Amino acid sequence: QDAVPITGRVTDAKTGEALIAVSVLIKGTTNGAQTDVEGNFTVNAPANATLVFSYIGYQSQEVPVNNRTSINVQLATDATQLNEVVVVGYGTQQKRDVTGSITSVKGDELVKQSSQNPVSSIQGRVAGVQITNTGTPGASPQVRIRGVGSAQGGVEPLYVVDGTFVPDLSFLNPADIESMEVLKDASSASIYGVRAANGVVLVTTRKGKAGAPRINYNGFAGIQKVTNRLEMANAQEYATLVNEKFEAIEEPRRLPLNSPSTDWYDQVLRTAQIHNHQLSMSGGTERITYNFSGSYLNQQGIVKKNDFERITARLQTDFKVTNNIKVGYNAIFSNIKTDTIPSGVLYQSYVAPSILPVREANGRYGDPANINLGNFSNPKASLDWFNQVNRSQRLTGNVFGELTFLKDFTFRTSLGINYLVSDYRNYRSRDSLTSIQFAERSLLTKGNYKGNSWLWENTLTYNKEIGANRFTVLLGISSQRDRWEEIIGTINDVPNNSEASYYFGLGDQETARIQNNGDLYTFASYFGRINYAFKDKYLVTTSLRYDGSSKFPSDNRFDIFPSIGLGWMVTEEPFMKNQTAINNLKVRASWGKLGNSNIPSNVFNQTANLAPGYIAFFGGIPYTGGNFDQAVPPTLLWEVVKETDLGFEMVTLNNRLTIEADWYDKRTEDAIFRVPFLSSSGLGGSINGNFASFKNTGVEFAANWNTEATSNFRYNVGFNVAYNRNEVTNIDTFIPQYGGSGGVAGNLTTISRLGDPIGSFYGFVVDGVYQTEQEVTGSAQPAAKPGDFRYRDLNNDNVIDNRDRTIIGNPNPRFIYGINSGFNFYNFDLQLDIQGVAGVEIYNANKGNRFGNENYTKDFFDNRWHGAGTSNSYPSADLSGINLDPNSWYIENGDYIRIRNLQVGYTLPTTLTGKWKIQSIRFYANAQNPVTLFKYNGFTPEVGGPPTNAGIDLNVYPLSATYNFGVNVNF
Amino acid sequence: FSILALGGLYSCKEEFLDVDPQGKPEESEFFVNQEQAVMGVNSIYAQLRAWPVAAFAHLALTTIASDDAEKGSTPGDASFMNDFDNFTFTSTQFTLNDYWSGQYAGINLSNQVLTRVPAITMDESLKARLLAEAKFLRAYYYFNLVRAFGGVPLVTKIPETPEELNPARATAEEVYALIISDLTDASSVLPVSYDAANVGRATKGAALGMLAKVKMYQKAWPEVLSLTEQVMALPYSLTPDYYQIFRFAGENNAESIFEVQAEVIPGNCDASNSQWAEVQGARPQFGWGFSIPTTDLDNAFEAGDVRKDATILYRGEVTPEGDKISETADNPRYNQKAYVPGSVAKECGYAKGQNIRIMRLTEVLLMHAEAANELGQTDKALSSLNRVRERAKLDPITITDQAQLRNIIWHERRVEMALENGDRFFDLVRQGRAAEVFQALGKNFTPGKNEVYAIPQNQIELSGGTLTQNPGY
């Protein structure tokens, strides 16, 4: 038959974007063509031929011509994911060759979350990665990969953006991200040596591709609302409770029950707005590719006056100078402006009595002095009075040069920089708002911060395939220098005219004061890695890193971090060739050693303290004082993590079901631990050093189900769950291990002791409430009053004392899980993500944070003891003394399950958009965190905190649901 | 490979990883010159103003626990302070730990100076004086501890070994021996007075007076007599107006022997940090209203005693400075010795500049009287006692019966020094009548137990049991 020209276009089945350089072959021949930059192809083929479309990362498709001259094809991404390219440290690998535990999340999935921080977007998507959000706009969530890997200093993973180390990702627009890879096990992370103990998150930003310019606009606008509002006692309830308390303490005073009621959260919280716009352009020629993007985000906080504004700009260009020299750069600039809120306002709103009016009849702020119940701030006055603006500009980027020589060698040199300047301005006017919120003189505070770090890395890669042997050898060296400095000045009596008058020169020069802090640290590292595959069946990855850091004393400065990973592609074996049930099966095992250098500087250096508190006065004249007042360890060793990982990856049911499971054992040795210390030394009451070891063991399981990519109804469902158990395996014997805060009165709320999870809650077990004086008489608590907790006498000595305390809760979640699903029906798409945590406790320290006559929750009012027989679980309103000691009443279940993300989209038919010369227009509606189910008596069960002090709720920022409407246009 | 090699050389350089602590003097850079020796001693004085040493913990253990004061403030506010008024505290009461830690912080600052300053090349006479000041202050902190807790761990150097870091309790006698040795050393070196720019540093008189007080707790009456007479021979004199002693103008006056120096530096509230007066100021106008005079103290003053009105600030009272204490103030009485007029700036909070009077000449006179009476030297006793009474506009005492006179001197001591620096609780214990006095007031005082406080339970736990608890707790 004669060949006739056939034309058509190849697009991505999901995104509708043109696919470039897709191979179009006539089946059974070597004849064919490639698609151009717009996805179009022309091929001469007989009318009865079959065309084979294949493209890396996509499922191949065979299409009979059937006498047509125009054939449009949609290709679906390869569900097996085995050909997927994943980014590993200092390079990329095909997913099938990976011997460690790496989870990759693509940028397209991140964008569907409408989160403002890229890290929030992976919550519930990666097995074993616990993400704890905070509601504060612009704040970074807390991330724990496979449990708590360190106790002190940085517990967050290492973030690497295009090869540059950064402290967090708050400066990054999620839409700029091509992919995020989470390196979970030691063999994949150990190439980052001393920085990798808490896992590594690699971020690759989008790069331009050769072809016609692509212009994309994505914008959304919406509102944020508090979903789980905490109800406090109203005026009548509060007065009832305080009167009950006064009766109990034999105070004759009584409050009237008919005062007007103030809901302080009404005064402080709001429905907040958010809108975000992003415009990107990319494209290029064979020699030069570029990607430019800009974005603007404006997000109000749920707390009034809290505003966050972020502008980002990014420019990336790669130049292919010659066939073997490539240079390029990537620069991300961000500008952030935040109107912050007074730090204590959420606490103030929780404790301020509801009988306190917002304003008095005379228009002045309601003054706590008028109700004589304690030193409470009027939260509204705090908020109105507060006047602070924070700004920051950050430039993160890198420049690289790459030289390919002798065919198999690539030398790459890369200089990364991370430059941050930020400042804040606070002005407290001369005002008298209430009897405790006043200033006789105005105070202007300005702070300036500058952080400057560079990272220079040189790598040499050798890539070779000899027969059935494939290997890649990497050698590299790296040096890094980080420096920051901060200057804070204050002055009184600057006039309150306008922003233009907030300058130090206008204040009382006698009161000018300056503070200055800074830090500097350096790293030097050498590393190498060999990837080896034999017959694509047996895989070996081994790496070695030799790291030194200025944070350690010179005799303990360097350490070696080795790792090995083994993989076996079972389905490549001859005995598996004849079965079709399992499409792919890989079994892998790895071991490696990691370090944690993210510790404070000068841990081992005794330095003098010249604090203002040490100023002495003689004859009325101030004299500087200084002395040594901290304990330092005699030396400091590297904190190391040794981790073993066993796992398998399986693809089955016709490539539809992907299963990945891992077991790990992660041991942190010589953990740097701040432990309380005997006060008799006079040396600060705590000391840092290598005082503990602990381990995390767990399993992770993830499954993904994909339907046929071509039908008009497609869906995919993913499920992941991880179980982790933390256990302290050693703690220096003469140094004890209490920690935590949140108990009133300096009581220690947590313990980290041998055999139990780090930072376990520790206290009395409540066995009920004393109902009558008779019950008290002869009991183990002779000083108790009816309405007080009855603590369990654990050692049966008929005395309640500290020996009756035990572990009463665990802030480290046992289970974290997520369900992620996507549906496509004709032009509609739907994304539904569910996420949750189970088997975790929270210490609700708010309930016990009582020094005087703080407000109570409605829950407390409803359930309190107020006479014999009224309650055997809640105490009386006279919640004081030993009742405030840490006990099981403060421990609450922290489990939750949440609809993390619900997004419905509609893409206009191409017949319509085609007329407008627009590739695609998609409208979407998005709800983030619309529903969270939990039992906890607080705003949110997401309570973070440092490892030995985690899960203690002291008025965390409320989380909110976000409802957006957006549009995405591809020109 | 040249770039690779270059990078390698660069990071290889050992000095690339040698980074000095930024902005903080290293161990090798501090206590190397005279200025730093002075700074080190300054820090020990500054610790006298610290919260646990000067404010809540101090007031709870020394004054609220006594018959002179009760918690005060609004009912329910800091109700834990009632644990001390009623002796219902347990060993886990955190205020005990605050008091303990605050004193030991001062002891460490002293030990650092005493260990490191001797090696400094500097003016030898200044060095000797600075070391004597450090010893005086260390003795002061230990005296606070031994009175409150009995025998405590005796830390006299910078701890290094695990054993030194976790010391057992010494006996009270051993602690007293160190205090006496430190004060004796200090008194032989310290000058009688300083130039205007150094007023407030410990003097010879302060060391001798404090030594006399320590000896009084040991009932070493001949030595008390001799030491107080040595102080009385120094150029101190009683000022005419008792009320004015406690105003800013009365700071470091002619009868002042030792005071904790406090000032407000505009713009530097971190240094303007003494809260002794703030927590006691009339609530809500002038402070927080804690540690308020009891009815018992109000009734203790004789008719015509000018000290009563200077010590107790009544609800509704108009002060000589023209401040009217609100008729609706939370409490009926406040400590007027902590009163700072409303005209004083409150930029850093209330009354941060008020000095704390630690020892005045009248206390030395009353110690002298007490010792003389114990030794049967009645004339001397009456002479000193009546000097104090004369200033208070009271008639002289003529009673010579030793037992009666003892009670009169004790009473005089109470009203002269009431609410000043917290001697009352310890005086009652020392005088052996704490149980009698407190039980008469309905307090839950248990003899054989409450004469000393509980060792903070968390310190016992931190010691792994090396520290032992006092009986009854």
Side-chain angles (χ1 to χ4, degrees), chain A residues 446-728:
Chain A
K446 284 186 175 186
N448 269 280
Y449 173 97
K450 193 173 93 169
N452 190 355
S453 74
W454 57 254
L455 169 71
W456 187 23
E457 302 199 291
N458 296 290
T459 56
L460 184 67
T461 313
Y462 174 65
N463 235 314
K464 191 73 185 172
E465 205 169 327
I466 304 169
N469 305 282
R470 273 194 294 127
F471 52 91
T472 307
V473 180
L474 169 85
L475 290 172
I477 60 171
S478 159
S479 50
Q480 183 188 353
R481 184 176 187 273
D482 265 54
R483 181 172 188 276
W484 64 264
E485 185 172 4
E486 171 182 58
I487 298 177
I488 300 167
T490 55
I491 198 162
N492 290 131
D493 297 348
V494 169
N496 190 17
N497 299 330
S498 70
E499 189 74 37
S501 60
Y502 297 156
Y503 281 85
F504 288 139
L506 300 185
D508 174 357
Q509 297 305 310
E510 298 245 310
T511 65
R513 189 163 166 245
I514 202 154
Q515 289 171 57
N516 187 200
N517 309 298
D519 202 1
L520 170 67
Y521 46 90
T522 53
F523 295 95
S525 319
Y526 308 82
F527 53 91
R529 181 175 60 205
I530 299 168
N531 297 96
Y532 173 73
F534 178 68
K535 285 187 169 173
D536 290 339
K537 208 161 31 178
Y538 307 112
L539 311 164
V540 179
T541 307
T542 178
S543 70
L544 194 70
R545 182 155 178 142
Y546 184 61
D547 257 324
S549 164
S550 67
K551 287 184 179 176
F552 293 86
S554 53
D555 44 344
N556 285 324
R557 187 163 278 167
F558 278 91
D559 204 359
I560 296 170
F561 300 95
S563 84
I564 184 156
L566 303 170
W568 177 31
M569 289 294 286
V570 182
T571 36
E572 295 289 323
E573 294 289 352
F575 63 83
M576 293 292 282
K577 285 290 179 195
N578 294 326
Q579 57 86 37
T580 50
I582 297 171
N583 308 91
N584 261 304
L585 176 64
K586 178 166 74 178
V587 180
R588 51 182 166 70
S590 75
W591 177 90
K593 184 176 153 187
L594 310 164
N596 180 20
S597 64
N598 206 352
I599 57 163
S601 294
N602 302 320
V603 167
F604 64 94
N605 275 322
Q606 179 66 273
T607 56
N609 183 358
L610 307 182
Y614 280 156
I615 287 177
F617 302 97
F618 300 112
I621 306 162
Y623 294 90
T624 303
N627 213 323
F628 296 109
D629 60 3
Q630 293 294 321
V632 295
T635 188
L636 195 66
L637 306 171
W638 289 82
E639 175 178 319
V640 297
V641 169
K642 291 175 183 166
E643 184 175 1
T644 309
D645 185 294
L646 298 174
F648 73 89
E649 293 160 34
M650 184 168 79
V651 182
T652 179
L653 299 180
N654 236 349
N655 282 328
R656 283 179 171 183
L657 181 65
T658 312
I659 291 172
E660 186 163 350
D662 279 274
W663 169 89
Y664 61 84
D665 177 291
K666 182 175 157 189
R667 291 164 190 259
T668 306
E669 295 173 2
D670 291 329
I672 293 169
F673 211 83
R674 178 167 280 279
V675 289
F677 191 63
L678 280 162
S679 292
S680 58
S681 69
L683 292 166
S686 66
I687 185 169
N688 241 337
N690 304 100
F691 294 130
S693 294
F694 45 90
K695 69 172 181 180
N696 287 281
T697 45
V699 287
E700 291 163 0
F701 176 82
N704 278 288
W705 170 262
N706 268 275
T707 52
E708 288 279 348
T710 44
S711 69
N712 282 322
F713 177 64
R714 306 187 302 273
Y715 68 92
N716 64 287
V717 181
F719 169 73
N720 70 77
V721 61
Y723 167 84
N724 184 68
R725 177 178 151 77
N726 181 285
E727 183 187 329
V728 176

Side-chain angles (χ1 to χ4, degrees), chain B residues 34 66 80 92 124 199 201 222 249 277 406 408 469:
Chain B
Q34 182 165 309
S66 81
F80 58 85
T92 55
E124 285 300 321
V199 169
R201 291 188 177 276
R406 180 184 296 130
I408 289 168
Q469 187 52 277

Side-chain angles (χ1 to χ4, degrees), chain A residues 372 428 440 477 522 526 550 557 606-608 615 619 623-624 626-628 677-679 736 745 802 805 851-853, chain B residues 8 16-18 25 27 39-40 42-43 49 74-76 78 92 94 101 108 166 197 199 346-347 457 459 461-462:
Chain A
N372 278 350
R428 191 196 60 198
E440 295 191 332
I477 60 171
T522 53
Y526 308 82
S550 67
R557 187 163 278 167
Q606 179 66 273
T607 56
I615 287 177
Y623 294 90
T624 303
N627 213 323
F628 296 109
F677 191 63
L678 280 162
S679 292
N802 277 306
R805 291 179 302 169
F851 302 92
N853 302 302
Chain B
F16 183 67
L17 295 178
D18 284 330
E27 192 162 18
M39 285 164 72
N42 290 347
S43 71
R49 303 190 306 264
T74 294
T92 55
F94 73 105
S101 305
N108 164 62
N166 191 3
V199 169
K346 290 180 266 297
E347 175 51 25
Q457 180 63 29
Q459 297 298 328
E461 288 172 21
L462 290 173

Side-chain angles (χ1 to χ4, degrees), chain A residues 351-474:
Chain A
V351 300
S354 42
I355 63 166
L356 179 68
V358 181
R359 291 197 182 261
E360 310 282 356
N362 62 11
R364 285 180 56 81
Y365 285 107
D367 193 335
N370 297 338
I371 57 170
N372 278 350
L373 288 162
N375 276 329
F376 298 103
S377 296
N378 180 319
K380 179 77 168 90
S382 296
L383 205 54
D384 290 348
W385 202 21
F386 194 73
N387 177 2
Q388 179 166 319
V389 181
N390 299 31
R391 296 181 194 84
S392 71
Q393 289 91 36
R394 185 199 288 267
L395 181 66
T396 303
N398 79 330
V399 194
F400 74 92
E402 213 173 85
L403 172 72
T404 315
F405 60 99
L406 298 175
K407 217 171 96 189
D408 301 317
F409 289 90
T410 308
F411 170 73
R412 184 184 164 99
T413 182
S414 156
L415 180 69
I417 62 152
N418 189 17
Y419 183 77
L420 170 70
V421 287
S422 70
D423 64 273
Y424 73 92
R425 191 274 299 145
N426 181 294
Y427 183 77
R428 191 196 60 198
S429 58
R430 177 174 176 270
D431 264 314
S432 179
L433 308 181
T434 70
S435 57
I436 69 162
Q437 292 159 288
F438 66 87
E440 295 191 332
R441 305 178 80 174
S442 73
L443 179 69
L444 174 68
T445 307
K446 284 186 175 186
N448 269 280
Y449 173 97
K450 193 173 93 169
N452 190 355
S453 74
W454 57 254
L455 169 71
W456 187 23
E457 302 199 291
N458 296 290
T459 56
L460 184 67
T461 313
Y462 174 65
N463 235 314
K464 191 73 185 172
E465 205 169 327
I466 304 169
N469 305 282
R470 273 194 294 127
F471 52 91
T472 307
V473 180
L474 169 85

Side-chain angles (χ1 to χ4, degrees), chain B residues 338-374:
Chain B
Y339 160 71
V340 172
S343 56
V344 173
K346 290 180 266 297
E347 175 51 25
C348 293
Y350 300 98
K352 297 285 176 70
Q354 178 85 329
N355 281 6
I356 310 168
R357 279 69 172 172
I358 301 292
M359 184 174 276
R360 293 183 291 113
L361 178 58
T362 47
E363 185 181 358
V364 174
L365 292 172
L366 291 170
M367 287 194 286
H368 182 251
E370 192 169 337
N373 185 52
E374 296 301 331

